[in-house]
């Protein structure tokens, strides 16, 4: 029986037979050598492992090492949870510095997305929905890495990455509520009255312009994202009213796309081309062609009235440039000085839309922000496209120049 058990053990362990030992004639020596090798193997395992060992069965007999049965068990390590700061326990200045919103506004935003973000269970120390929202707000406000934003709220980088897109999807559901063209007659009259009283241009309901958001070179056709300044970007088209509130945004086009092309491919263009869809006109720079509903500067002004019109037009368009400055000052992730966004173009487009929604919420809540002048490289091209203005459009502009300037 001993020999049979020894041969079974030998078949499961690779053992080098010592030189001069005949395994067929000296079976006792071979069995002794096998147990010696097994003992050395177990000692090596004990040395490399930090786990405790428990001897089961009877006490190990020094004369019979083969009777020693060693069971290796894993050390129990309790799961460590990072400390998650409570929003209500943080000082007001710290909350504003981290998230660009006061506590009450953050809680109001959370009520909008609570149903989509709240975990289904509390098992496993699930991340509360308000913490997910705070992570994203910190990223938008600072433009820092995910690791930094997640550390502030007491979650791991991987947990922040998993919750990032769901938070943006939840906020994007409220896009029609916060980004929309004014529809009521009172709203339209208020905007028109503002532009006319300050700049003497009638029937204006908004200003249109484009700005670039820096991104890393994406996979697949990265060259189409290189703008005229030589860096990769998305060309984002925005329309804003007299209060710098964004009433339209389109963020899906590469940086090399011309402003006029983005306009022609937009739903905004199709709506305005319908005669009764919008009651008013927009102001745009020389990057756009002139339409009945889109007034641009006169390329080569000859008369005093044309010069005055161009000056008033430029002053009125400052509102959209200021809107870009406020947007990128409040949400530093969009500012080129904080580096390019290291996401796919589609996700960067979502980030831009969400930041525009939050921008409007901040303006409606009258939250102050220290505005910085954005770099001229962030602004879109003012170069005109090779598209002739229609005769009807120039006639409309000429009538405004002659009647009001």
């Amino acid at each position: 029986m001993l020999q049979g058990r020894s041969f079974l053990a030998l078949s499961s362990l690779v053992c080098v037979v010592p030189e001069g030992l005949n395994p067929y004639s000296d079976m006792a020596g071979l069995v002794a050598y096998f147990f010696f090798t097994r003992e050395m193997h177990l000692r090596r395992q004990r040395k490399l492992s930090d786990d405790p060992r428990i001897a089961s069965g009877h006490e190990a007999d020094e004369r019979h090492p083969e009777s020693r049965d060693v069971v290796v068990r894993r050390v129990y390590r309790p799961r460590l949870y990072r400390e998650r700061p409570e929003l209500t326990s943080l000082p007001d200045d710290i909350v504003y510095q981290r998230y660009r919103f006061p506590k009450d506004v953050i809680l109001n935003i959370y009520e909008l997305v609570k149903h989509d973000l709240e975990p289904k269970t509390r098992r496993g120390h699930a991340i509360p929905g308000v913490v997910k929202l705070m992570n994203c707000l910190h990223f938008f406000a600072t433009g820092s890495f995910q690791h930094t934003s997640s550390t502030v709220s007491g979650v791991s980088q991987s947990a922040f990455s998993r919750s990032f897109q769901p938070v943006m999807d939840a906020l994007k559901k409220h896009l029609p509520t916060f980004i929309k063209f004014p529809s009521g007659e009172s709203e339209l009259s208020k905007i028109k009255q503002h532009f006319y009283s300050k700049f003497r241009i009638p029937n204006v309901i908004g200003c249109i312009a484009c700005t670039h958001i820096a991104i890393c070179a994406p996979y697949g056709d990265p060259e189409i994202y290189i703008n005229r300044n030589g860096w990769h970007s998305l060309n984002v088209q925005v329309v804003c009213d007299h209060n710098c509130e964004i009433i339209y945004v389109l963020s899906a086009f590469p940086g090399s796309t011309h402003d006029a092309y983005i306009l022609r491919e937009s739903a905004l263009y199709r709506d305005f081309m319908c005669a009764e869809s919008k009651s008013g006109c927009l102001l745009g720079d020389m990057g756009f062609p002139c339409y009945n509903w889109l007034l641009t500067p006169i390329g080569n002004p000859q008369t005093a009235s044309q010069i005055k019109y161009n000056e008033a037009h430029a002053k009125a368009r400052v509102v959209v440039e200021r809107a870009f400055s406020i947007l990128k000052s409040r949400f530093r992730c969009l500012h080129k000085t904080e580096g390019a966004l290291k996401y796919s173009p589609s996700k960067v487009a979502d980030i831009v839309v969400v930041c525009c929604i939050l921008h409007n919420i901040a303006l409606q809540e009258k939250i102050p922000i220290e505005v910085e002048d954005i770099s001229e490289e962030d602004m879109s091209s003012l170069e005109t496209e090779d598209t002739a203005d229609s005769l009807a459009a120039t006639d409309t502009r000429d009538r405004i120049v002659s009647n009001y300037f």
Side-chain angles (χ1 to χ4, degrees):
M1 294 298 294
L2 178 60
Q3 293 180 355
R5 189 174 67 178
S6 299
F7 276 113
L8 280 176
L10 283 170
S11 64
S12 62
L13 179 65
V14 177
C15 176
V16 180
V17 179
E19 185 178 355
L21 179 63
N22 188 348
Y24 299 100
S25 61
D26 196 354
M27 182 56 66
L30 182 61
V31 171
Y33 182 73
F34 163 71
F35 285 118
F36 173 78
T37 305
R38 179 174 178 271
E39 178 65 20
M40 294 297 103
H41 177 68
L42 292 176
R43 288 184 181 181
R44 283 195 297 268
Q45 282 187 328
R46 297 190 196 107
K47 186 176 181 180
L48 294 176
S49 175
D50 293 330
D51 299 332
R53 290 162 297 278
I54 301 176
S56 64
H58 59 81
E59 187 175 346
D61 191 347
E62 295 296 336
R63 296 173 299 174
H64 302 283
E66 69 274 13
S67 65
R68 184 178 302 162
D69 188 9
V70 178
V71 179
V72 180
R73 295 183 179 177
R74 169 185 281 175
V75 174
Y76 173 73
R77 293 186 176 90
R79 188 173 180 181
L80 299 179
Y81 296 104
R82 298 173 180 172
E83 182 180 358
R84 295 172 183 168
E86 291 287 340
L87 177 62
T88 55
S89 64
L90 295 174
D92 293 340
D93 56 339
I94 297 297
V95 172
Y96 180 79
Q97 180 183 357
R98 289 181 180 178
Y99 310 111
R100 297 294 193 271
F101 289 96
K103 295 178 185 179
D104 57 336
V105 178
I106 293 177
L107 293 176
N108 291 339
I109 297 173
Y110 174 62
E111 289 299 322
L112 297 175
V113 297
K114 180 179 180 179
H115 179 73
D116 298 309
L117 300 184
E118 200 62 28
K120 300 291 188 292
T121 178
R122 290 297 180 184
R123 295 180 61 186
H125 204 62
I127 302 175
V130 67
V131 175
K132 299 176 184 177
L133 176 63
M134 290 165 61
N135 283 335
C136 293
L137 291 178
H138 183 269
F139 172 79
F140 296 147
T142 61
S144 59
F145 292 100
Q146 286 187 359
H147 174 73
T148 304
S149 298
S150 62
T151 302
V152 169
S153 298
V155 300
S156 65
Q157 183 274 329
S158 58
F160 172 80
S161 181
R162 288 192 299 269
S163 62
F164 188 37
Q165 189 64 47
V167 172
M168 292 198 296
D169 291 339
L171 288 169
K172 282 175 58 181
K173 289 182 180 180
H174 301 275
L175 176 65
T177 303
F178 294 101
I179 299 181
K180 59 182 179 180
F181 260 85
S183 55
E185 190 62 34
S186 59
E187 293 181 272
L188 292 172
S189 298
K190 183 178 180 180
I191 298 174
K192 293 177 183 179
Q193 181 61 31
H194 174 86
F195 279 104
Y196 180 74
S197 61
K198 292 194 68 174
F199 310 111
R200 300 289 298 174
I201 305 178
N203 207 33
V204 176
I205 61 174
C207 297
I208 184 172
C210 291
T211 187
H212 288 280
I213 305 298
I215 64 173
C216 289
Y219 294 105
D221 300 327
E223 61 278 357
I224 66 174
Y225 291 90
I226 301 177
N227 57 34
R228 66 187 182 95
N229 296 306
W231 40 276
H232 296 84
S233 67
L234 290 183
N235 197 359
V236 179
Q237 192 166 92
V238 164
V239 179
C240 72
D241 63 9
H242 62 294
N243 289 326
C244 298
E245 190 169 329
I246 296 173
I247 58 179
Y248 178 81
V249 59
L250 182 58
S251 59
F253 284 86
S256 63
T257 311
H258 197 279
D259 298 355
Y261 178 83
I262 298 176
L263 177 63
R264 286 196 303 270
E265 295 297 315
S266 66
L268 179 72
Y269 177 84
R270 294 189 292 271
D271 290 344
F272 266 104
M273 291 303 288
C274 297
E276 298 180 357
S277 61
K278 302 293 180 184
S279 177
C281 62
L282 303 177
L283 300 180
D285 55 32
M286 295 295 293
F288 299 99
C290 186
Y291 296 102
N292 289 332
W293 48 269
L294 177 56
L295 301 178
T296 60
I298 298 174
N300 187 20
Q302 300 295 328
T303 65
S305 297
Q306 291 178 343
I307 294 175
K308 290 181 181 179
Y309 165 79
N310 276 7
E311 292 175 350
H313 191 284
K315 292 178 181 179
R317 282 192 299 106
V318 169
V319 66
V320 70
E321 297 175 4
R322 179 169 175 78
F324 288 144
S325 298
I326 296 174
L327 178 67
K328 295 185 178 182
S329 297
R330 192 184 303 276
F331 304 110
R332 300 295 297 182
C333 67
L334 304 181
H335 204 297
K336 187 174 181 292
T337 57
E338 300 299 325
L341 287 168
K342 297 175 175 58
Y343 298 96
S344 64
S346 60
K347 181 166 284 191
V348 173
D350 288 343
I351 292 173
V352 173
V353 171
V354 170
C355 287
C356 290
I357 294 173
L358 297 173
H359 165 84
N360 283 357
I361 293 176
L363 291 181
Q364 293 171 8
E365 297 292 338
K366 295 180 172 55
I367 301 174
I369 185 66
E370 185 177 348
V371 181
E372 300 179 11
D373 291 334
I374 63 174
S375 171
E376 293 183 359
E377 292 184 349
D378 290 347
M379 297 298 295
S380 188
S381 173
L382 297 180
E383 298 175 357
T384 57
E385 196 182 39
D386 295 333
T387 303
D389 298 333
S390 65
L391 183 60
T394 55
D395 286 344
T396 301
R397 185 175 61 188
D398 290 342
R399 283 197 302 270
I400 292 176
V401 171
S402 60
N403 293 336
Y404 297 94
F405 296 93

